[in-house]
Amino acid sequence: MGYMTIDGRKVEFTDEKNVLSVIRKAGINLPTLCYHSEVSTFGACRLCTVEDDRGRTFASCSEVPRDGMVIYTNSGRIKKYRKLIVELLLSAHCRDCTTCVKSGECVLQDLAHRMNITDVRFQNTREIRPLDTSSPSIVRDPNKCILCGDCVRACSEIQGLGVLGFAFRGTDAMAMPAFNKTLAETDCVSCGQCRIYCPTGAISVKTHMDEVWEAIADPDTRVVAQVAPAVRVAVGDAFGLDKGNSVMGKLVAVLHRMGFDEVYDTAFSADLTIMEESKEFLERLGDSSKLPLFTSCCPAWVKFLCDQYPEYKNNLSTCRSPQEMFSAVIKEYYRGYEKNQGKKTVVVSIMPCTAKKMEAVRPNSFTHGEQNTDIVITTTELIRMIKNSGIEFPTLIPEACDMPFGFGSGAGVIFGVTGGVTEAMLRRFADKHDKATMDTVAETGARGEEGIKEFSVTYKGIPLNVCVASGLANAQTVMERIKSGEAHYHIVEIMACRRGCIMGGGQPPRAGDRTKAARKDGLYKADNVTSIRKADENPLIMSLYDTLLKGKEHELLHNDSY
Ligand code: HC0
Ligand code: SF4
């Protein structure tokens, strides 16, 4: 603990790891392009440079706070210096701001505006490079790379993959895959965390908004939407509503107004997943085979396991993800003229996730040769489409989902946060459904922010070891421990994104600690106000098993292979 003087005001510091954090705590939003608290400090952009009372300038992200320091964050010299840095970055940057996918969210654009840069004095001499559009989920535009290294550190430190690195030297330098490979030729899992960390348009979501508008405009097409759990807690913020509060009812209303014929909640098929996955687990437990059971709803994790640990493929649950189960069920429902009345059905899935775009085109996401999910759009694309429609989102009166698949239990809703799938499964195993039982399940150890959680529960007298992890670097640690025989689990839940889908690669980027906590709390609150909190008590799921699913459980709800 100590004190420093920042711009003439005395500020206390405690365990802040650098001067930048103390400055921000003091309410000064010092700009940065390469600083993120969850990855290592790089110190490359120098925008957080400050001056001390002896005239020394230094990057505040790389300086440890010391008692008695006197810091100036906005002296004339520093302001000039900072403006020059942004100007130099802009001089080597493609400046098609009006048509850039990142327009309005770009940190560089925002800084240029903040610093009143209306003219760039230097000429761009970099040659124009081709875009990498090989990935089904993300696009890399080397002309917008500012070498901050954020994507490189996110991919290697959080995801443990290291798909991106620095290549070439001097003015030719850029962040890209090794050996000039395209993203499709690497071990990229499409999680989109590089896009979340990228401050400019150098890495962006591959968008599919036009395809959705086209389907809506076609009178011979029935357009059906499913909305993932984590989307509802990330949209309100973009329209000035409270951070993290679920806006599911308003989303249903706006999608109807935009022209969708039917709107459903992916929490419904998350309930289906729980029914199938818990049944599968009990079968494996019964004959002690293919344990631990690995969850299979996160496609980035599934790809990671198949690429890096193929010897464990058989341990993956055969369950399709809720996205794929729902789409297969909707397509089956409208198969046959009596139901479809000659109209083609297009399923649009609205996800917090870039990897879901990859999952939708995976060979095992087809039923009877037809792709289950036709179009996947991310939360960010949905927000843009709502703005495009001109509908005033905050004033909308909430609406309910359509029937016959219009209700998901609270168990399905919490899928969007790390530990949610496990908690939903443990609820399924519980005999009772009263609040006290639900509270007991919530306290078993599945909840919480830690990247790796381990705990034991007892099912019918059998002790079960459970592991819940998020972030692929953590998944790697878990896998190595299983491989070496150090850890023995029965159930392992992995989500590729830290904290789960609420922090997916398709969510609005640059979520600070407050936003992260609000999204998580928002999902638990939405669960709390749902009258049915166990998947096996969802009456719509029960009737589906007696009707449309009869004899078709495997073909519609499971993957034959990975
Ligand atoms: Fe998720 Fe899902 S919880 S992966 O993050 O299981 O994207 O929100 O929709 O499919 O339900 C994403 C979120 C989903 C699926 C569900 C699962
Ligand atoms: Fe997608 Fe969720 Fe997996 Fe992230 S954790 S890759 S958002 S499914």
Side-chain angles (χ1 to χ4, degrees):
M1 193 188 122
Y3 291 90
M4 63 173 73
T5 307
I6 300 174
D7 297 335
R9 283 176 55 229
K10 201 170 167 188
V11 180
E12 185 188 357
F13 62 87
T14 48
D15 54 357
E16 285 77 12
K17 64 176 180 182
N18 49 36
V19 172
L20 174 64
S21 307
V22 186
I23 293 170
R24 287 190 170 164
K25 189 174 84 172
I28 298 164
N29 180 13
L30 211 56
T32 52
L33 282 163
C34 73
Y35 181 78
H36 293 273
S37 58
E38 291 192 353
V39 292
S40 61
T41 304
F42 195 41
C45 77
R46 317 309 282 179
L47 277 167
C48 67
T49 296
V50 293
E51 186 172 8
D52 70 11
D53 52 344
R54 287 176 295 160
R56 186 175 71 101
T57 57
F58 57 89
S60 59
C61 67
S62 313
E63 192 86 6
V64 176
R66 289 187 309 278
D67 195 34
M69 277 178 131
V70 178
I71 306 284
Y72 300 97
T73 70
N74 269 316
S75 65
R77 186 174 163 217
I78 290 292
K79 275 210 184 86
K80 218 165 140 188
Y81 184 44
R82 212 175 274 149
K83 189 168 176 174
L84 181 66
I85 292 173
V86 175
E87 230 186 320
L88 285 169
L89 283 171
L90 286 170
S91 74
H93 192 81
C94 152
R95 295 201 295 279
D96 60 357
C97 293
T98 48
T99 52
C100 178
V101 68
K102 194 83 173 192
S103 186
E105 288 172 355
C106 172
V107 184
L108 189 60
Q109 186 187 44
D110 180 47
L111 290 179
H113 184 70
R114 252 172 88 170
M115 288 168 202
N116 193 27
I117 298 173
T118 51
D119 184 32
V120 178
R121 290 171 287 165
F122 318 107
Q123 212 192 333
N124 188 356
T125 53
R126 267 166 79 164
E127 68 184 65
I128 296 176
R129 289 145 171 170
L131 270 57
D132 178 357
T133 57
S134 63
S135 155
S137 311
I138 46 187
V139 175
R140 203 177 60 79
D141 182 350
N143 305 299
K144 292 173 183 167
C145 175
I146 56 164
L147 300 173
C148 62
D150 292 359
C151 58
V152 175
R153 283 169 293 137
C155 191
S156 61
E157 295 177 21
I158 299 181
Q159 301 301 57
L161 282 164
V163 163
L164 298 164
F166 288 106
F168 308 118
R169 290 183 177 197
T171 51
D172 287 333
M174 77 175 125
M176 61 181 290
F179 309 116
N180 234 344
K181 283 185 179 169
T182 62
L183 280 171
E185 293 167 323
T186 67
D187 283 342
C188 171
V189 295
S190 290
C191 68
Q193 290 303 306
C194 51
R195 171 260 165 183
I196 289 288
Y197 275 74
C198 176
T200 70
I203 302 182
S204 60
V205 175
K206 185 175 258 184
T207 63
H208 295 91
M209 297 171 277
D210 291 344
E211 289 85 337
V212 179
W213 288 127
E214 268 167 39
I216 288 175
D218 182 353
D220 297 324
T221 298
R222 173 185 303 99
V223 191
V224 182
Q226 56 162 307
V227 183
V231 174
R232 70 202 63 189
V233 291
V235 172
D237 204 5
F239 294 95
L241 300 172
D242 286 348
K243 264 185 201 308
N245 267 4
S246 171
V247 290
M248 187 60 192
K250 282 185 189 290
L251 286 176
V252 177
V254 82
L255 290 166
H256 280 147
R257 296 235 338 227
M258 282 159 69
F260 283 85
D261 296 288
E262 290 165 27
V263 182
Y264 294 115
D265 184 347
T266 310
F268 168 85
S269 51
D271 284 342
L272 260 184
T273 303
I274 285 305
M275 298 305 290
E276 292 298 306
E277 205 161 344
S278 49
K279 186 166 153 240
E280 183 182 27
F281 171 69
L282 293 181
E283 281 165 11
R284 291 191 192 187
L285 186 67
D287 55 20
S288 300
S289 68
K290 296 185 272 181
L291 293 173
L293 174 129
F294 293 127
T295 55
S296 57
C297 44
C298 167
W301 149 244
V302 169
K303 183 165 190 304
F304 175 84
L305 182 111
C306 294
D307 288 348
Q308 314 293 332
Y309 299 94
E311 66 275 29
Y312 283 95
K313 267 190 200 181
N314 286 341
N315 289 61
L316 277 170
S317 161
T318 63
C319 290
R320 281 176 163 170
S321 73
Q323 163 175 287
E324 291 307 316
M325 284 192 183
F326 212 152
S327 302
V329 164
I330 292 168
K331 287 278 171 77
E332 183 64 23
Y333 182 72
Y334 281 114
R335 207 157 269 139
Y337 188 81
E338 203 187 316
K339 275 276 166 50
N340 68 36
Q341 295 292 306
K343 273 195 173 188
K344 181 180 159 204
T345 301
V346 166
V347 180
V348 178
S349 157
I350 303 172
M351 293 279 141
C353 174
T354 42
K356 289 281 169 188
K357 292 180 187 259
M358 174 265 285
E359 182 182 67
V361 295
R362 232 168 50 184
N364 56 11
S365 297
F366 287 65
T367 309
H368 304 310
E370 190 187 356
Q371 193 170 317
N372 300 326
T373 312
D374 298 279
I375 309 171
V376 179
I377 57 164
T378 57
T379 312
T380 314
E381 291 165 89
L382 173 67
I383 292 169
R384 191 156 298 183
M385 288 181 74
I386 297 172
K387 289 184 177 169
N388 180 347
S389 73
I391 298 165
E392 280 189 25
F393 188 76
T395 59
L396 286 174
I397 295 169
E399 288 176 16
C401 289
D402 293 284
M403 289 302 265
F405 314 119
F407 176 79
S409 79
V413 172
I414 57 171
F415 263 53
V417 58
T418 174
V421 180
T422 303
E423 186 172 338
M425 203 188 291
L426 298 179
R427 285 185 191 179
R428 164 83 182 93
F429 292 151
D431 294 329
K432 296 196 225 147
H433 62 200
D434 54 281
K435 189 172 179 310
T437 307
M438 294 299 105
D439 289 348
T440 310
V441 173
E443 283 158 19
T444 47
R447 292 195 184 191
E449 302 258 306
E450 303 88 340
I452 301 177
K453 292 168 279 194
E454 294 171 302
F455 58 94
S456 292
V457 289
T458 307
Y459 174 72
K460 294 198 176 8
I462 309 167
L464 302 179
N465 298 332
V466 184
C467 177
V468 172
S470 66
L472 291 175
N474 290 326
Q476 199 173 22
T477 304
V478 170
M479 289 309 296
E480 291 302 324
R481 295 186 57 200
I482 292 172
K483 240 177 122 169
S484 69
E486 191 189 325
H488 297 276
Y489 306 116
H490 295 89
I491 301 170
V492 177
E493 176 203 304
I494 308 254
M495 288 292 179
C497 302
R498 283 282 292 117
R499 298 176 173 79
C501 298
I502 49 169
M503 294 306 294
Q507 295 281 66
R510 300 195 99 71
D513 290 344
R514 205 160 63 84
T515 306
K516 288 172 188 161
R519 287 181 188 169
K520 176 193 68 166
D521 294 344
L523 281 189
Y524 286 131
K525 271 189 228 158
D527 162 43
N528 238 7
V529 296
T530 309
S531 45
I532 295 172
R533 298 177 70 195
K534 274 170 119 271
D536 50 306
E537 293 182 355
N538 182 343
L540 300 184
I541 294 284
M542 293 304 125
S543 80
L544 197 69
Y545 274 109
D546 290 335
T547 53
L548 180 141
L549 280 177
K550 228 181 179 91
K552 295 182 183 159
E553 292 92 336
H554 185 83
E555 100 182 288
L556 296 180
L557 309 180
H558 290 262
N559 291 311
D560 281 324
S561 62
Y562 285 104

